[in-house]
Amino acid sequence: MRLRRGQEPTRRLAHIWNEANCTACGACIIACTATNAPEMMHREEKGWNSLASNIRRIESVTPTGRPTMLLNQCQHCANAPCVHTCPFGAVYYNDDGLVAIDARLCIGCSYCVAACPYNVRWMHPDNGLPKKCMGDACLELVAANQKPACVQACPANARDFGDIKDPNSSVSQTLKRLPHRTLLEKAGTEPKYFIVESSS
Amino acid sequence: MNVADLTLQADVAHWSWSIALFLWFVGLAGMGSVAYYFMRRAPLAFTIFGSLVVGLLLVVSHLTRWWNLPITIFYAIVEFSFNFESWMFWGFVILSVHLVFSAVVVLANIQFLQRFWFLRWAAVLNQSNLFLMGFAAAGFFATVYSGFLISTAAGVPLWNTALIPVLWVISASVATVALIELFYVLGWADEREAAFGLRLGMGLDVMKLLAVLAFIHISLTVGSVGARIGAERMFSGDLAFMTWVGVIGIGILLPLAIGVFTLMFGKKKPLLVVSAVSALAGVLFLRAAVLLAGVWEPLVL
């Protein structure tokens, strides 16, 4: 269900990634593609130089020489630039607070791709749609009261998904208990992808 | 700088030469429409219309779902889902209006068609100052839109500056003046128009130089990491040749030098052709360099 301007979502679904628990096995990335875009298995997103998936793995080395890794995906921003820039309203907020796309209204201008500060969208080479988390198959899982594919596939319980408006949800409990951060906090996008920094 | 996730905008969003050409054609048609108010000549009308059509064809060919455009417009009207916040939406509106206005102006300038009584309204409109003021305004706003289109793409920090719409208007004006110089050489503009264009062009060249250098300087010194990387690519990186030789050398300094020479020693038509072509090329290089230099803000340093 599409939210109208000024309307508040009934739920605010959010993703959590616990970087301390994550073993960087890549199961979430594979599960995402296998579930939402199986035709893209073994096909590369050329701009990212990695598997075409709604989750992107970014590796680096800190100035002290320590390896570091980030799993990046759509942040389902409450103030999403992609929603503001889409000319025909193809990108919208649904009543769960998620940023979704209506394929009927998309012309493939890639303005949402260029507008996303997190660089999480990729253009599907077959249908020309700008893809990102959550894929259609994961939205169906959520509608059926299941967790998204990445959460189900994670062997280290490093991922979670739920309603941050509900104080009793597992994500709310984790965010209350453990230190966490969001990406590009100063961008004003109010991201809803939380990176938890401690395992206990 | 160790940047792990440096992604070029052109590799993922694919806004590169085809979009640079689109912006160039829209600028030429846009500021050309402003010039048409003062210089109502058929070749200018045909150039404006042709630029707009080619520019629109380029941008439509760039859409990955161009075939969905009629369906999108149908549902957007039925569900009234137009996004009035989006500069691209306003671009559709402005370019549509501009295209209709320029088609009327072209109709009025085709003498053969004016034999038909049912097309004479075009000639009447073409003589109306009010109509041509609207045409000029549509062209000006089309050029302004082409700048805001880039500067509101929040994912590319190099572009997030108010300078781009201003720079686009200045450079599109440079291109229009270059076009008038070419028309003079071809005998389609008179001495007075060419002399005015020459002086105006030199002033615009100086302003364009200042704006280009300010754009790079501000991004290099106080921009975010992503903006700085983009500006570094233009200043000293893989796009430095295009910036210094294409945008500044060929696009600004050469026409400026020819302008000074012409003021001192009089007009030489071959030199005017060189000046005009290089100025037009420089405007295209500017758009291409700014587009290609765009990178996302690195999330991991």
Side-chain angles (χ1 to χ4, degrees):
Chain A
M1 185 83 141
R2 178 188 285 260
L3 281 189
R4 290 182 184 187
R5 183 185 288 270
Q7 200 179 350
E8 272 294 304
T10 47
R11 295 192 294 176
R12 176 70 77 182
L13 297 180
H15 285 263
I16 278 184
W17 171 56
N18 188 319
E19 65 180 359
N21 282 357
C22 182
T23 59
C25 66
C28 56
I29 299 172
I30 304 289
C32 174
T33 302
T35 307
N36 294 295
E39 71 282 2
M40 293 306 292
M41 293 294 282
H42 312 294
R43 285 166 79 182
E44 190 185 57
E45 162 47 42
K46 290 187 179 117
W48 293 347
N49 198 24
S50 64
L51 175 72
S53 174
N54 297 335
I55 304 172
R56 192 161 65 104
R57 174 171 154 157
I58 304 164
E59 292 177 6
S60 185
V61 178
T62 64
T64 55
R66 189 172 159 232
T68 179
M69 192 271 295
L70 170 75
L71 291 181
N72 188 30
Q73 63 175 71
C74 176
Q75 320 278 309
H76 295 286
C77 308
N79 185 24
C82 55
V83 175
H84 297 308
T85 50
C86 178
F88 295 112
V91 185
Y92 65 97
Y93 302 110
N94 71 14
D95 51 3
D96 281 332
L98 298 172
V99 175
I101 185 157
D102 182 343
R104 295 171 313 150
L105 293 167
C106 179
I107 54 169
C109 64
S110 29
Y111 205 13
C112 57
V113 180
C116 175
Y118 301 96
N119 182 17
V120 295
R121 284 181 184 267
W122 55 280
M123 299 302 284
H124 195 293
D126 300 340
N127 59 26
L129 275 173
K131 307 296 277 187
K132 66 162 196 76
C133 170
M134 308 207 4
D136 293 339
C138 277
L139 285 172
E140 284 172 22
L141 287 173
V142 171
N145 278 327
Q146 292 185 46
K147 299 277 185 185
C150 57
V151 179
Q152 292 190 33
C154 179
N157 284 327
R159 286 185 160 268
D160 198 3
F161 177 78
D163 184 8
I164 52 172
K165 273 186 162 183
D166 173 7
N168 297 318
S169 69
S170 57
V171 285
S172 294
Q173 292 293 322
T174 305
L175 293 177
K176 201 187 293 177
R177 203 163 44 86
L178 298 175
H180 57 273
R181 68 179 193 278
T182 53
L183 296 170
L184 300 179
E185 283 171 358
K186 289 179 185 167
T189 53
E190 301 172 45
K192 297 291 174 277
Y193 174 67
F194 298 94
I195 300 171
V196 175
E197 297 167 328
S198 163
S199 57
S200 58
Chain B
M1 191 181 295
N2 175 26
V3 178
D5 62 329
L6 186 64
T7 309
L8 307 187
Q9 165 285 128
D11 285 347
V12 180
H14 307 293
W15 287 19
S16 56
W17 278 99
S18 58
I19 297 296
L21 276 162
F22 159 69
L23 299 173
W24 185 75
F25 278 119
V26 166
L28 200 57
M31 295 315 288
S33 304
V34 176
Y36 188 81
Y37 184 82
F38 303 100
M39 187 186 151
R40 300 172 187 184
R41 290 175 184 271
L44 186 55
F46 297 140
T47 308
I48 292 165
F49 185 70
S51 298
L52 209 45
V53 169
V54 175
L56 289 172
L57 285 175
L58 273 168
V59 81
V60 169
S61 72
H62 181 264
L63 301 175
T64 56
R65 291 167 61 82
W66 57 266
W67 37 266
N68 200 41
L69 199 50
I71 298 164
T72 295
I73 290 171
F74 172 77
Y75 281 114
I77 291 170
V78 169
E79 297 171 12
F80 202 68
S81 67
F82 296 113
N83 184 359
F84 298 100
E85 281 181 279
S86 166
W87 268 102
M88 192 175 280
F89 166 74
W90 287 112
F92 276 98
V93 174
I94 294 167
L95 291 175
S96 303
V97 171
H98 192 208
L99 186 66
V100 171
F101 275 52
S102 61
V104 171
V105 170
V106 161
L107 271 182
N109 278 285
I110 300 174
Q111 292 304 318
F112 170 75
L113 293 177
Q114 290 309 307
R115 291 177 190 170
F116 304 105
W117 61 268
F118 54 88
L119 288 176
R120 286 195 190 134
W121 53 271
V124 174
L125 284 177
N126 192 42
Q127 281 163 4
S128 155
N129 281 344
L130 193 63
F131 174 80
L132 292 182
M133 225 179 269
F135 182 42
F140 177 75
F141 285 120
T143 312
V144 170
Y145 139 75
S146 71
F148 278 113
L149 176 76
I150 302 299
S151 55
T152 54
V156 186
L158 176 69
W159 300 346
N160 303 153
T161 162
L163 203 50
I164 287 185
V166 178
L167 186 52
W168 263 212
V169 169
I170 296 171
S171 57
S173 305
V174 167
T176 302
V177 167
L179 201 63
I180 293 168
E181 295 295 324
L182 274 183
F183 284 175
Y184 168 72
V185 173
L186 294 166
W188 298 338
D190 61 32
E191 189 75 33
R192 188 184 55 87
E193 288 161 340
F196 176 72
L198 185 74
R199 284 178 171 77
L200 179 65
M202 288 175 69
L204 288 168
D205 280 335
V206 174
M207 282 168 65
K208 186 179 157 197
L209 181 63
L210 175 68
V212 169
L213 294 177
F215 173 72
I216 296 172
H217 172 68
I218 295 297
S219 301
L220 269 180
T221 51
V222 292
S224 67
V225 176
R228 210 161 64 230
I229 293 168
E232 272 171 10
R233 293 183 66 209
M234 289 180 73
F235 185 77
S236 56
D238 55 331
L239 294 165
F241 186 78
M242 195 193 291
T243 306
W244 292 108
V245 177
V247 179
I248 294 176
I250 293 174
I252 301 174
L253 298 181
L254 182 60
L256 205 52
I258 292 174
V260 171
F261 179 88
T262 306
L263 285 181
M264 290 171 72
F265 303 107
K267 287 193 189 71
K268 302 270 189 289
K269 285 191 174 178
L271 277 182
L272 284 182
V273 173
V274 171
S275 166
V277 171
S278 61
L280 284 164
V283 174
L284 175 61
F285 289 140
L286 172 67
R287 279 149 176 74
V290 170
L291 284 182
L292 295 172
V295 298
W296 265 277
E297 191 69 31
L299 298 173
V300 179
L301 289 176

